[in-house]
Amino acid sequence: MAEERLSIYRVSRSIKRKENSLYNALRSIYEDSIFVGEISQLWPQLPLLANLRCGLWYSPNFQYTCYFKSTDGHTNNCSFNTSRLNFHVALLAGQRGGCIIVDSTRRGKRFPDSLTKTIPIWTCVLNRAIFNYFNRIGESGSGFDADSSSYNRNGENTRHISHDWDCSLHLPLWVSKTEKAAIEDRLEEWTKELEASGADIASLALSLKKPLRPLWISQKTVIWLNEVPDCDSWDFTPMILVSASSSTGIFQNRTTSEFSWKYIPGAGDDEESWARGLSPKVFWNHASELINSGPDLCNQKVATIVENDRVYRAHRGQNTPQVTVKLSKLASTGRLSEQEPPLYFDISNMNSAHEDCIISWLGSTNLAVGIAQFGTNVPKVDCILNCHPELVSACLPNAIAYLHLPIVNSKLDRFSLLSNLPSAFNFAKSNLSKGKSLLVCCHNGEDISICVCLAILTSLFNDEGTFDDGKSFSETCITKWEMRRRLVFICKYAVNARPSRGNLKQVFSFLSGGRVSSVS
């Protein structure tokens, strides 16, 4: 009987592994991308954004990325996180008249929580903060000109906002009234947190002529093509939230070929468990080849493509570690405070979705954050602090001071960042005190390098963003809220920042545990 049960268990696992194969995942993504393309063509003037990380798989034509976590919208655990403000999305929407954001979700749901609640909460809090901002700088209720902004002789903004500026919470109909009421009870608290974080609400207020409002589109949405409204006709700035995946996984057969495949809803999720080193960019460079290869040859072709890409990057002098592939198993699981608002927000320097090398300067601090893949295109900086776990084989000019600190993610080593921060601090202090510019980089420019910059900015710069060799830090008792304010400043420029909770904890431990004074 035990052998029989074991046999049934093995058969069941074998079937599940086959259903969740690499080819099925890629083919599902490819089919869903057709739907995403059709929706983006309905409003071609609106920028197409991928919600990291899952959403990035569903189109080769993403212009920008954003990061709204589903965990911030989980039932009975909703939150507004100032570490993930995504201000660049709101500014972009103000410039272009709206945005299209793409994400996906697993079987059984039409929309991920990121689209159902995280973004709606975000739009509502931002709308309320903008309303409060204009109320503070002028008389409310006098109306405002949506096509212009005026300034008084002191350069202060005198544009007013009318009482019909929409500050209400807009959620999809399937969210219960009880949960909606619970979220509404916390909106004032979240708005105050945003206003106290030092976020540049002034620039946001000047960019948005109409309040933000989410709209939801899935593969079940009925759209009459002859009645698609122009964005300018709406009295709000639309955030069109597209769920790429179908909510029902129907077995689909190809009648024109010798093979069949099974649809996987939300196949782009948890890419480490199935992608075998393939990235969205490389996939779309070879999409036709992989889709036409069929299930039997797909794994082999992916391995070849990934290796060829690795060799190509190696020849360019970029970091190219060997891809470690797991066995094919069933997937388990300026000023730091508010600044004088600019008359115009320029999105031309905003990071795109597919750039290989991203360098973001943090205002006028002489600090920059980026990706540790220079090749022959070395950034124009005086010093480089490389936090990649492996040494990047780049030909650096002799004039560049260089330090390599092999820091790994907190999931692999809970103290890796903490143990390396003293060396990073000393290197930064030595060079910044001489007026040199410093680039801090890691493998993706989104987590470790952001946290290192956060430690440097907090410990060596004052509240105005000026290097003071740690004087203001020595006179201040650092709190998590103050550290979060500094992080908001960084995220204003490094819009792809996604610092992990584990690494942020290590930064706070470094700043509050006396380690800074011990290495000064």
Side-chain angles (χ1 to χ4, degrees), residues 384-435:
I384 294 178
L385 174 55
N386 178 18
C387 304
H388 198 288
E390 299 184 22
L391 184 64
V392 176
S393 57
C395 298
L396 300 173
N398 294 330
I400 292 183
Y402 183 83
L403 175 65
H404 175 231
L405 297 175
I407 304 175
V408 298
N409 190 277
S410 59
K411 292 183 178 180
L412 301 176
D413 185 342
R414 291 188 300 160
F415 305 105
S416 178
L417 175 60
L418 181 60
S419 61
N420 281 282
L421 278 177
S423 298
F425 172 85
N426 287 332
F427 182 77
K429 182 177 181 179
S430 172
N431 288 283
L432 290 172
S433 62
K434 300 174 185 176

Side-chain angles (χ1 to χ4, degrees), residues 418 473 478 506-518:
L418 181 60
F473 177 79
I478 190 67
Q506 294 179 69
V507 173
F508 183 72
S509 177
F510 172 76
L511 296 173
S512 62
R515 290 172 177 259
V516 176
S517 58
S518 66

Side-chain angles (χ1 to χ4, degrees), residues 29 40 49 52 60 117 143 156 196 248 260 316 326 366 448:
I29 290 169
S40 65
L49 284 77
L52 297 173
K117 282 169 284 188
E156 296 174 341
T248 57
S260 61
R316 297 177 65 193
K326 297 179 181 179
N366 253 7
I448 293 174

Side-chain angles (χ1 to χ4, degrees), residues 228-243:
V228 174
D230 192 326
C231 292
D232 293 335
S233 66
W234 287 322
D235 60 355
F236 55 85
T237 302
M239 305 298 296
I240 300 176
L241 310 180
V242 180
S243 180

Side-chain angles (χ1 to χ4, degrees), residues 139-154:
E139 295 179 0
S140 63
S142 58
F144 70 90
D145 183 354
D147 297 320
S148 64
S149 296
S150 57
Y151 291 80
N152 62 21
R153 70 181 67 182
N154 297 322

Side-chain angles (χ1 to χ4, degrees), residues 21-33:
S21 68
L22 177 60
Y23 181 80
N24 285 343
L26 296 178
R27 184 59 187 267
S28 301
I29 290 169
Y30 184 82
E31 295 295 324
D32 288 339
S33 72

